[in-house]
């Protein structure tokens, strides 16, 4: 460090470059922090405020926003402090391990959560009856608790020097020390992250194949049983026809065995509602897949640099590439709200309804009726 400082003092152009680079880093990271906090807090408030968004996929989205808020508010400021101090960690070794633990914790949390969400999205499309019956609020809480437990299990061992956490001056942060594979234990953690992300994409591909295979299926049409004096004939018969009567298809007087049972009014648009639900599940699945794809794109350059340092002995990664890769991982925390609002029509509609003050005034449309 002393030789580097002397070199900067003896070379004014190098010193000016270092000052400019530090200013760019601080400005970009400050913008990322502000965007992440504003976007994730706004999205969280929207989900909490609007009761129509109190559904399974948005519970997971709320947890994702919570993790990004904590990461932006706790981990990123330490990176800014290290930049101001000249790429030096000014605190204790224990505090560095705590910050590194939190950074790795949130990384694995996003990966595990997106994998669990991909499984629930597949269930919502391929096994919707089971999904709607089993995926309750408490099921979501159990899944979220499991995700946090797995994330802690992955991030905690390096605290005890199994794949040491330390401050990496080239990255301006406390993180894994990625050394050659024979002198480091971080390979297992990197492979686990790659396997989780890859498996998540496999689940989405399977869901896409399911939708493609069933794209030409005609919606089921409900044909009620026909009755004259309760002698049933047609597609339904006897007991099934009685069930049809309860569902709202019964004709004629109430059968003696069903006296006292209220007949439900049949909704003629039920098939359209099911189709709308299917389209909504597809839109939510598309939103989460884009979040997963954004996670892969933002983290891929940094993961590549980690593998290079692990497998290539005495590898020299360009500092510009490494800095850009690290900053892309930071930007991922701010990208999720943008992706959600772009690819989810329901969120945009609910945002207009819940926060009309944030929108420009529009000319009200005159009411009309369909004849």
């Amino acid at each position: 460090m002393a030789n580097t400082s002397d070199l900067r003092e003896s070379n004014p152009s190098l010193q000016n470059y270092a000052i400019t680079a530090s200013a760019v880093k601080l400005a970009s990271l400050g913008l990322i922090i502000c965007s992440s906090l504003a976007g994730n807090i706004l999205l969280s408030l929207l989900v909490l405020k609007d009761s129509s968004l109190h559904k399974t996929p948005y519970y997971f989205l709320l947890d994702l926003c919570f993790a990004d808020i904590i990461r932006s508010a706790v981990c990123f400021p330490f990176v800014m402090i290290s930049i101001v101090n000249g790429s030096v960690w000014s605190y204790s070794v224990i505090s560095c391990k705590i910050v590194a633990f939190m950074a790795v914790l949130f990384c694995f949390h996003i990966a595990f959560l997106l994998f669990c969400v991909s499984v629930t999205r597949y269930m919502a499309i391929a096994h919707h009856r089971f999904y709607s019956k089993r995926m309750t609020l408490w099921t979501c809480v159990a899944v979220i608790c499991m995700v946090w437990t797995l994330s802690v299990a992955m991030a905690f061992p390096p605290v005890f020097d199994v794949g040491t956490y330390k401050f990496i001056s080239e990255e301006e942060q406390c993180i894994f020390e990625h050394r050659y594979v024979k002198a480091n234990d971080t390979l297992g953690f990197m492979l686990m992250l790659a396997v989780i992300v890859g498996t998540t994409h496999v689940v989405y591909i399977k869901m896409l194949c399911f939708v493609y295979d069933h794209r030409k299926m005609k919606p089921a049409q409900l044909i009620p049983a026909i009755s004259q004096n309760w002698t049933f004939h047609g597609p339904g018969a006897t007991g099934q026809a009685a069930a049809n009567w309860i569902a709202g298809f019964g004709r004629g007087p109430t059968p003696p065995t069903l006296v006292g049972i209220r007949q439900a009014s049949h909704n003629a648009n039920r098939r359209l509602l099911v189709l709308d639900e299917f389209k909504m599940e597809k839109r939510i699945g598309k939103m989460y897949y884009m979040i997963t794809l954004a996670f892969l794109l933002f983290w891929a350059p940094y993961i590549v640099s980690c593998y290079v340092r692990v497998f290539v002995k005495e590898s020299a990664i360009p500092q510009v590439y490494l800095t850009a890769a690290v900053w892309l991982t930071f930007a991922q925390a701010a990208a999720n709200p943008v992706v959600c609002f772009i690819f989810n029509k329901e969120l945009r509609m609910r945002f207009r309804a819940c926060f009309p003050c944030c929108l420009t005034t529009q000319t009200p449309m005159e009411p009309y009726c369909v004849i």
Side-chain angles (χ1 to χ4, degrees), residues 60-61 64 107-121 147 196-197 199-201 203-204 287-296 332 336:
F60 294 130
L61 184 61
L64 191 65
C107 175
F108 276 103
H109 167 265
I110 297 174
F112 280 121
L113 184 64
L114 291 178
F115 170 72
C116 293
V117 169
S118 68
V119 175
T120 61
R121 290 297 89 211
V147 167
I196 296 170
V197 176
T199 307
T200 304
H201 282 80
V203 175
Y204 279 112
M287 178 193 73
Y288 272 111
Y289 177 72
M290 296 308 298
I291 293 177
T292 306
L293 185 61
F295 176 79
L296 176 63
Q332 181 269 327
N336 289 340

Side-chain angles (χ1 to χ4, degrees), residues 301-323:
Y302 180 73
I303 293 176
V304 169
S305 68
C306 294
Y307 277 115
V308 169
R309 284 179 285 181
V310 168
F311 286 107
V312 181
K313 192 173 184 179
E314 298 179 356
S315 59
I317 300 178
Q319 182 60 42
V320 176
Y321 173 85
L322 186 59
T323 301

Side-chain angles (χ1 to χ4, degrees), residues 12-316:
S13 61
L14 185 60
Q15 186 178 8
N16 293 333
Y17 173 79
I19 294 174
T20 303
S22 299
V24 172
K25 291 178 182 179
L26 289 173
S28 58
L29 187 55
L31 180 62
I32 290 173
I33 293 175
C34 295
S35 302
S36 176
L37 291 177
N40 286 289
I41 290 175
L42 183 63
L43 188 56
S44 301
L45 291 177
L46 177 61
V47 174
L48 292 173
K49 183 178 179 181
D50 197 324
S51 58
S52 65
L53 298 179
H54 294 176
K55 295 182 289 188
T56 297
Y58 297 109
Y59 294 144
F60 294 130
L61 184 61
L62 190 63
D63 180 63
L64 191 65
C65 292
F66 173 76
D68 286 336
I69 291 171
I70 300 300
R71 182 186 175 206
S72 301
V74 175
C75 298
F76 294 171
F78 285 100
V79 179
M80 299 185 72
I81 294 174
S82 66
I83 296 174
V84 172
N85 294 334
S87 302
V88 175
W89 183 258
S90 305
Y91 304 98
S92 63
V93 177
I94 298 299
S95 61
C96 181
K97 288 189 175 183
I98 293 175
V99 173
F101 164 77
M102 295 185 67
V104 176
L105 171 69
F106 292 129
C107 175
F108 276 103
H109 167 265
I110 297 174
F112 280 121
L113 184 64
L114 291 178
F115 170 72
C116 293
V117 169
S118 68
V119 175
T120 61
R121 290 297 89 211
Y122 177 78
M123 291 171 54
I125 297 295
H127 308 283
H128 185 72
R129 181 179 297 178
F130 176 84
Y131 170 83
S132 60
K133 184 178 180 180
R134 298 297 182 183
M135 288 304 298
T136 61
L137 172 62
W138 295 111
T139 306
C140 296
V141 172
V143 172
I144 291 173
C145 291
M146 180 191 68
V147 167
W148 282 106
T149 302
L150 292 174
S151 303
V152 171
M154 290 301 301
F156 199 68
V159 175
F160 299 101
D161 294 332
V162 181
T164 310
Y165 286 148
K166 65 178 296 184
F167 179 75
I168 309 299
S169 59
E170 293 82 2
E171 300 182 16
E172 312 279 0
Q173 64 174 340
C174 291
I175 199 69
F176 279 124
E177 184 184 9
H178 298 286
R179 296 171 295 177
Y180 188 56
V181 63
K182 294 183 178 180
N184 201 334
D185 298 323
T186 60
L187 178 60
F189 297 95
M190 302 306 300
L191 289 176
M192 176 60 72
L193 183 62
V195 168
I196 296 170
V197 176
T199 307
T200 304
H201 282 80
V202 170
V203 175
Y204 279 112
I205 292 174
K206 186 176 181 180
M207 183 180 72
L208 183 63
C209 293
F210 178 86
V211 174
Y212 181 80
D213 292 338
H214 293 76
R215 71 193 187 281
K216 294 183 179 180
M217 292 183 63
K218 296 181 179 179
Q221 295 182 357
L222 300 175
I223 304 176
I226 301 175
S227 170
Q228 296 293 339
N229 297 325
W230 292 103
T231 302
F232 293 95
H233 59 89
T238 58
Q240 182 59 47
N244 286 341
W245 182 89
I246 296 175
F249 294 112
R251 298 178 183 178
T254 304
T257 57
L258 298 179
V259 173
I261 299 179
R262 183 179 180 182
Q263 185 181 25
S265 59
H266 175 63
N267 189 352
N269 294 326
R270 178 58 185 168
R271 180 174 60 84
L272 296 179
L273 290 177
V274 173
L275 185 60
D276 290 341
E277 291 176 0
F278 179 74
K279 290 182 178 180
M280 181 189 69
E281 298 293 351
K282 284 179 60 178
R283 287 196 298 267
I284 295 177
K286 180 180 179 181
M287 178 193 73
Y288 272 111
Y289 177 72
M290 296 308 298
I291 293 177
T292 306
L293 185 61
F295 176 79
L296 176 63
L297 295 177
F298 279 107
W299 279 85
Y302 180 73
I303 293 176
V304 169
S305 68
C306 294
Y307 277 115
V308 169
R309 284 179 285 181
V310 168
F311 286 107
V312 181
K313 192 173 184 179
E314 298 179 356
S315 59

